[in-house]
Amino acid sequence: MSTQKSVLQEAGTVEENALRIDQDKAEQLVDALNTDLAATEVLYHQLRKHHWTVHGSEYRDLHLFYEEAYESASEGADHLAERAQALGGVPTSRPADFQERSPVEPEPEDIYDVRTMMENDMEMYGDIIETVREHIELAENLGDYATAELLREQIEELEEFAHEIEHFLEHDSLTEW
């Protein structure tokens, strides 16, 4: 790591922004966005793990589902980080900080049966959806309709993947129980 210091903005700070959103409001919004960013990154890594370790008779469908899900999470994280930066903040970016800031806990590194993996994912999606709903309301109350709209787009994606998991978890299957 470089020993030179050329810090342009310290993490945890919010500077004036070109969006003309009051700094106090921007600080609250950046904090919420960084929480959502951290949760999305934790989700991304869990989905990626499941993409790597999924097994069983429905392997192909689940493998492809997980790839689509983690790619969506990655894209969502980009949008959250870019909005935090546009508001004058510093997006959370270190894995340790993701874990610390996230309102969701990743499952342990063990490999689980497919049903357990998907139940764990469903729980994580649900927790993230609840947090994002709160942040949509915060953004609206602070008059930042663009952030509220970004979060609405995020929640639409999250709910879609949660609904797909719900279908996978149905008991109607070609496999024996």
Side-chain angles (χ1 to χ4, degrees):
M1 185 159 80
S2 173
T3 56
Q4 283 188 306
K5 274 205 164 187
S6 298
V7 175
L8 298 178
Q9 183 178 353
E10 289 185 22
T13 63
V14 177
E15 297 180 347
E16 272 189 51
N17 60 73
L19 308 179
R20 296 187 180 184
I21 293 179
D22 177 73
Q23 188 163 350
D24 180 53
K25 292 177 181 179
E27 286 173 1
Q28 293 176 65
L29 293 161
V30 168
D31 184 58
L33 288 166
N34 274 330
T35 297
D36 295 336
L37 173 59
T40 302
E41 284 291 330
V42 170
L43 174 66
Y44 166 84
H45 287 285
Q46 182 162 301
L47 295 170
R48 191 76 195 243
K49 171 193 167 192
H50 292 168
H51 171 77
W52 294 330
T53 63
V54 70
H55 52 278
S57 62
E58 297 174 21
Y59 163 81
R60 181 165 169 65
D61 288 340
L62 290 170
H63 187 74
L64 294 173
F65 165 78
Y66 276 120
E67 183 172 24
E68 184 181 349
Y70 76 68
E71 286 175 350
S72 175
S74 178
E75 185 177 329
D78 267 357
H79 294 302
L80 293 166
E82 289 168 1
R83 185 64 182 175
Q85 192 275 330
L87 289 166
V90 179
T92 298
S93 60
R94 292 179 344 139
D97 293 333
F98 292 145
Q99 193 104 21
E100 184 178 310
R101 283 193 67 102
S102 177
V104 294
E105 289 282 325
E107 69 180 24
E109 288 199 26
D110 305 316
I111 296 176
Y112 298 93
D113 64 271
V114 175
R115 181 164 290 281
T116 300
M117 288 173 17
M118 297 204 91
E119 288 170 348
N120 291 342
D121 295 334
M122 185 68 141
E123 183 70 25
M124 187 176 289
Y125 271 107
D127 290 345
I128 293 171
I129 287 166
E130 288 177 357
T131 301
V132 172
R133 279 191 188 125
E134 292 171 9
H135 293 160
I136 291 169
E137 186 176 341
L138 172 70
E140 287 175 343
N141 290 341
L142 294 175
D144 182 359
Y145 304 109
T147 296
E149 183 60 29
L150 168 72
L151 293 174
R152 275 192 199 84
E153 291 169 11
Q154 295 278 318
I155 206 166
E156 189 175 324
E157 286 281 312
L158 293 164
E159 288 178 349
E160 182 179 317
F161 283 104
H163 185 61
E164 284 188 58
I165 291 172
E166 193 172 46
H167 286 296
F168 279 118
L169 289 172
E170 290 294 325
H171 288 288
D172 187 20
S173 174
L174 295 175
T175 60
E176 290 184 33
W177 287 91

